Amino acid sequence: MDYVLIILLEMLRAVSWLVLLASGLAIIFGMMRVINFAHGEFLMLGGYITIMTHNNGVPLWISMLILAPLTVGIFGILVERLVIRHLYGRIIDSLLATWGLSLLMIGGVTLVFGNTVQGVSTPFGAVSIGEYSIPLYNFVIIGFAAAIMLATWAVLKFTKVGLVARATMQNPDMAETLGVRTTWVYMATFGIGSAVTGLAGGLLAPLTGVVPSMGVNFVGQSFITVITGGASMIAGTLSASTLLGTVSQGVTFASGPVYGDAALLLTALVLLRVLPQGITGRIFKKSL
Amino acid sequence: MKKLNRRHFLMSTGAAVTATGLGAPSILRAQADTIKIGGLHDLSGPLDASGIPMDQVFKLAIDDINEKGGLLGKQVEGVVYDPQSNMSLYSQYATQMALKDRVAAVFGGITSASRETIRPIFHRYNTLYFYNTLYEGGVCDRNEITLGTTPAQTVEQLIPHAMNLWGKKVYTIAADYNYGHITAAWVKRYVEANGGEVVETEFFPLDVTQFGSTISKIQAAKPDIVLSVLVGTAHLGFYRQWVASGMKQEIPIASTTFAAGGTDAVILTPEEGNGILTSYGYYTSIDNPTNTAFKEKVAAAYPDNPPILSELSEVTWEGVMVWADAVREAGTIERDPLLEVMETGKSYDMPAGAVSIDPKTHHAIRDVYLAELQDQEFIIKETFPQVQPADTQMVCNLKETPDANVHHEISL
């Protein structure tokens, strides 16, 4: 009984993890059809900001929840202004440019901060469930994943800004005609997407080793989730994360992590063969 | 302004390539009155945390030789390339070192993948090659001198010690590639030889960062010891999440890989790392005069960016020193006379203790240590003098097959 509960919680955590990793990328991809190949390095930057500021005396929560998203968000706006905006509509070129950016960021962070920096321990400690104990921090991950999804949905659905964003997403030319500065919308979107990625990087810093090359460990999962989900930011991310997270954790529990990884890839492969536009290309088509 | 002609263009792009470090050795002009040796360590990319200290120590070893008057009346010159944790660059630079730079010997390669990329190249061109990393054992090649420890040297000491301390039920978690699989097999063999039981062996692809389900499974299996053969920074998450799950006080961890390059001990906080038991061929805390002098030299040479010393970097020092000793004794830099000197099995006084080369396998016979991490420093618990590379000795005898050119997968 306890074990079943543990497995369910672990699956929920895995789903939330994918939501956190992918949502920044999904915001950018869903809105602008730009694939940010430096996504993993944006996560890394968020993680680095968190541990560097925390090691210099800033309380962990401020480092993680304010400084990391703020810095990465501002960095994202800079990148959009300097690089991305010249490459709208040129997917391959933007892929290449952001790949170059990722190399630059790895080199830059190594140069500025060094590649061996003491990280931060996971806060909060553990909670016992019967014979098992799991980190309380898991619930922070789950909470933030839910909060990010909810906030994105609320902004898109209920605010003027969200309306403008949706208009730009559906028909940029028409939106422009009606007086919307689509370039500003794109800039803001890229900044917000980057900030969300920075927040995710901050949140995962206490769970993993933060080093300049860490991005590569996360970028695969993020991309698979976003591509499997399709173009809708929320429905896509949620459906893909739920499916992939449950399958991979289920298989990991049943056999082991090697098969868990393989099952995740296989599921994504089959899905993309059947639904080349991603889950939301066919199902939940009209959703956000 | 000068007119742009082809020569100028070539010169300026050549300079640009040098500046970005893509194609040029750090010392460009080769002089006939120097002896050149090659250093091939990853100075960028995911492996740079291990490669940079090795490179720093490699250069320091050369400076040390030159300060003492060089070799055969000549200065030694290092030819350094950065393979960027990229296997195709490894093969390119290895070929370049052997054919273009014509170096007398090469030191480097970190992962087994990089070693197996460059080892056959140096074998083909008879360029003496020193591999200075702990690895899974099994290389049989007269052209390669392998000074790092192998599982038969370290696992054999670690397992009985940990079992004596903590109990007989072992849960192994290992990286999912040949090093992890081979070492896990050795773990099983030594656990069973000591009357224990491996309750489970789990393998993890190198990009796994989430260990929640594994930690739950370990909690269900209730082993006495968790034995980690995890590799790389993604796997560091295990130690962090283990502490976060409140397991630190419950089940102790022994590892054949943790902080092998020295960096893990720094990246984890003291609370997370304390108590992890490891076994390697070198620790900075080894107490002998050679090691004290070595550490002082390193500190003096790199006051601003001291390399994190570990078996990898200390063995790199050994490699250069063993080579230099052979050159002095043989009076030449030709490969075969040097190999004959090293094959006499003479003993070298190194920071890690006495080291000699087993003539049958060209692997090191060396002291092995057991140490526990406390506040980011390894405290040595036990020393095992002059341990043989028994695993490679099972499959390799260069006396009988001097032309061997293989990496045996040692099956147990």
Side-chain angles (χ1 to χ4, degrees):
Chain A
M1 185 57 218
D2 297 339
Y3 198 55
V4 175
L5 187 61
I6 289 283
I7 292 180
L8 288 178
L9 276 174
E10 195 53 41
M11 281 178 173
L12 187 60
R13 190 212 40 82
V15 171
S16 311
W17 178 257
L18 287 179
V19 169
L20 272 183
L21 285 185
S23 46
L25 193 66
I27 289 173
I28 294 170
F29 177 69
M31 189 80 186
M32 303 153 66
R33 294 292 178 276
V34 167
I35 292 185
N36 180 11
F37 219 76
H39 179 69
E41 281 62 43
F42 278 57
L43 283 166
M44 177 273 289
L45 189 63
Y48 250 87
I49 300 290
T50 304
I51 62 169
M52 293 312 294
T53 52
H54 179 64
N55 286 351
N56 284 300
V58 179
L60 182 61
W61 297 108
I62 296 183
S63 301
M64 202 156 77
L65 303 180
I66 298 173
L67 294 180
L70 199 67
T71 318
V72 181
I74 292 171
F75 181 74
I77 289 176
L78 274 176
V79 168
E80 200 274 346
R81 285 290 90 184
L82 295 174
V83 182
I84 308 287
R85 78 185 166 106
H86 303 292
L87 302 171
Y88 283 128
R90 293 156 60 186
I91 287 199
I92 302 292
D93 295 347
S94 62
L95 259 179
L96 261 180
T98 48
W99 180 61
L101 179 69
S102 78
L103 296 180
L104 189 74
M105 287 175 74
I106 294 173
V109 167
T110 310
L111 211 63
V112 176
F113 299 123
N115 56 14
T116 313
V117 180
Q118 183 179 319
V120 290
S121 302
T122 320
F124 286 145
V127 58
S128 298
I129 297 174
E131 295 208 326
Y132 301 91
S133 62
I134 57 169
L136 261 175
Y137 191 75
N138 281 2
F139 297 98
V140 176
I141 298 281
I142 296 169
F144 269 95
I148 288 174
M149 285 288 101
L150 210 64
T152 316
W153 176 75
V155 167
L156 285 178
K157 189 91 180 168
F158 299 117
T159 65
K160 179 86 189 298
V161 178
L163 192 69
V164 169
R166 278 189 290 158
T168 312
M169 196 157 55
Q170 276 172 11
N171 192 335
D173 294 338
M174 185 62 81
E176 187 95 3
T177 318
L178 293 173
V180 175
R181 272 240 194 143
T182 50
T183 51
W184 286 17
V185 176
Y186 288 145
M187 182 181 80
T189 312
F190 203 88
I192 292 168
S194 304
V196 170
T197 306
L199 175 67
L203 284 168
L204 66 83
L207 285 174
T208 184
V210 179
V211 293
S213 56
M214 69 187 270
V216 69
N217 300 324
F218 303 102
V219 75
Q221 293 172 29
S222 317
F223 272 93
I224 291 167
T225 310
V226 171
I227 303 297
T228 311
S232 307
M233 286 179 210
I234 298 169
T237 309
L238 273 181
S239 55
S241 302
T242 309
L243 190 71
L244 298 176
T246 320
V247 168
S248 72
Q249 280 308 301
V251 175
T252 302
F253 264 108
S255 52
V258 175
Y259 297 100
D261 257 24
L264 188 149
L265 294 174
L266 188 70
T267 315
L269 207 70
V270 170
L271 264 177
L272 285 177
R273 179 67 189 83
V274 183
L275 308 167
Q277 299 296 314
I279 298 175
T280 53
R282 178 80 56 85
I283 317 162
F284 316 120
K285 220 173 173 174
K286 291 268 150 63
S287 54
L288 285 171
Chain B
M1 203 180 133
K2 277 184 217 160
K3 249 170 64 184
L4 182 73
N5 59 30
R6 184 152 155 260
R7 173 176 291 176
H8 278 116
F9 176 74
L10 287 176
M11 276 169 62
S12 56
T13 45
V17 169
T18 316
T20 52
L22 274 175
S26 63
I27 297 165
L28 276 169
R29 265 179 306 129
Q31 290 147 4
D33 57 347
T34 61
I35 299 172
K36 286 193 282 184
I37 57 175
L40 210 45
H41 305 100
D42 303 289
L43 307 180
S44 55
L47 291 170
D48 63 353
S50 300
I52 291 170
M54 292 170 90
D55 181 62
Q56 285 175 306
V57 171
F58 172 72
K59 289 175 176 154
L60 178 62
I62 294 174
D63 291 345
D64 192 71
I65 292 169
N66 287 337
E67 261 170 41
K68 291 173 182 158
L71 293 173
L72 314 177
K74 293 178 182 176
Q75 292 280 292
V76 179
E77 176 187 326
V79 178
V80 169
Y81 295 102
D82 174 14
Q84 302 170 31
S85 313
N86 176 334
M87 293 313 135
S88 63
L89 287 176
Y90 259 108
S91 70
Q92 180 190 328
Y93 289 144
T95 313
Q96 210 163 316
M97 277 182 173
L99 297 182
K100 179 163 159 269
D101 303 314
R102 297 190 169 280
V103 296
V106 176
F107 303 80
I110 301 181
T111 59
S112 292
S114 61
R115 183 199 65 241
E116 285 310 302
T117 306
I118 60 180
R119 186 184 59 75
I121 297 175
F122 295 133
H123 183 96
R124 187 186 323 147
Y125 298 122
N126 292 332
T127 307
L128 186 57
Y129 171 46
F130 287 79
Y131 179 57
N132 307 311
T133 313
L134 61 149
Y135 85 111
E136 66 278 1
V139 165
C140 197
D141 182 345
R142 186 159 178 263
N143 189 55
E144 177 181 312
I145 303 292
T146 308
L147 293 172
T149 53
T150 58
Q153 291 175 305
T154 52
V155 180
E156 188 192 11
Q157 323 302 337
L158 185 65
I159 299 288
H161 187 90
M163 284 171 67
N164 266 338
L165 279 177
W166 299 321
K168 294 193 175 305
K169 267 172 83 177
V170 177
Y171 196 110
T172 309
I173 47 178
D176 185 32
Y177 70 109
N178 71 347
Y179 174 80
H181 280 269
I182 293 170
T183 309
W186 280 104
V187 167
K188 193 166 186 314
R189 166 181 264 216
Y190 286 121
V191 167
E192 283 166 4
N194 286 284
E197 177 200 4
V198 175
V199 287
E200 175 78 62
T201 301
E202 265 195 277
F203 293 101
F204 299 82
L206 287 172
D207 63 348
V208 168
T209 54
Q210 294 300 295
F211 294 88
S213 52
T214 299
I215 293 174
S216 305
K217 280 198 218 170
I218 297 176
Q219 290 171 342
K222 296 193 185 59
D224 300 317
I225 304 167
V226 170
L227 204 124
S228 155
V229 193
L230 298 176
V231 174
T233 48
H235 288 177
L236 269 185
F238 171 78
Y239 303 100
R240 196 148 265 171
Q241 290 158 34
W242 180 252
V243 177
S245 305
M247 295 306 293
K248 183 85 193 162
Q249 313 309 326
E250 306 295 321
I251 303 171
I253 298 177
S255 176
T256 64
T257 47
F258 178 77
T263 52
D264 299 355
V266 181
I267 293 172
L268 290 191
T269 60
E271 309 84 69
E272 289 167 336
N274 283 351
I276 297 178
L277 191 67
T278 64
S279 174
Y280 297 116
Y282 176 78
Y283 292 98
T284 48
S285 46
I286 289 171
D287 186 21
N288 68 39
T290 317
N291 189 33
T292 312
F294 173 63
K295 286 192 291 184
E296 276 166 10
K297 258 178 219 158
V298 171
Y302 299 104
D304 303 323
N305 53 343
I308 294 172
L309 292 176
S310 66
E311 182 176 327
L312 305 189
S313 38
E314 192 271 344
V315 173
T316 302
W317 172 272
E318 290 179 13
V320 181
M321 290 304 158
V322 167
W323 170 80
D325 175 86
V327 171
R328 277 190 211 105
E329 192 167 324
T332 172
I333 56 168
E334 294 299 313
R335 186 192 74 150
D336 289 348
L338 296 190
L339 283 176
E340 276 159 27
V341 171
M342 289 184 268
E343 281 169 352
T344 57
K346 64 187 289 193
S347 179
Y348 305 92
D349 176 31
M350 291 295 172
V355 175
S356 61
I357 292 164
D358 171 31
K360 280 185 185 162
T361 60
H362 281 199
H363 281 53
I365 300 166
R366 56 185 309 137
D367 296 352
V368 171
Y369 303 86
L370 256 174
E372 186 185 295
L373 192 64
Q374 279 302 333
D375 295 327
Q376 305 188 327
E377 293 281 341
F378 278 104
I379 316 274
I380 293 177
K381 294 281 173 191
E382 226 170 312
T383 305
F384 304 88
Q386 301 302 296
V387 183
Q388 301 278 337
D391 40 10
T392 313
Q393 284 168 343
M394 281 165 53
V395 293
C396 180
N397 186 345
L398 291 168
K399 290 275 170 219
E400 285 167 12
T401 53
D403 297 329
N405 179 16
V406 279
H407 176 214
H408 293 283
E409 294 253 341
I410 300 170
S411 57
L412 294 171

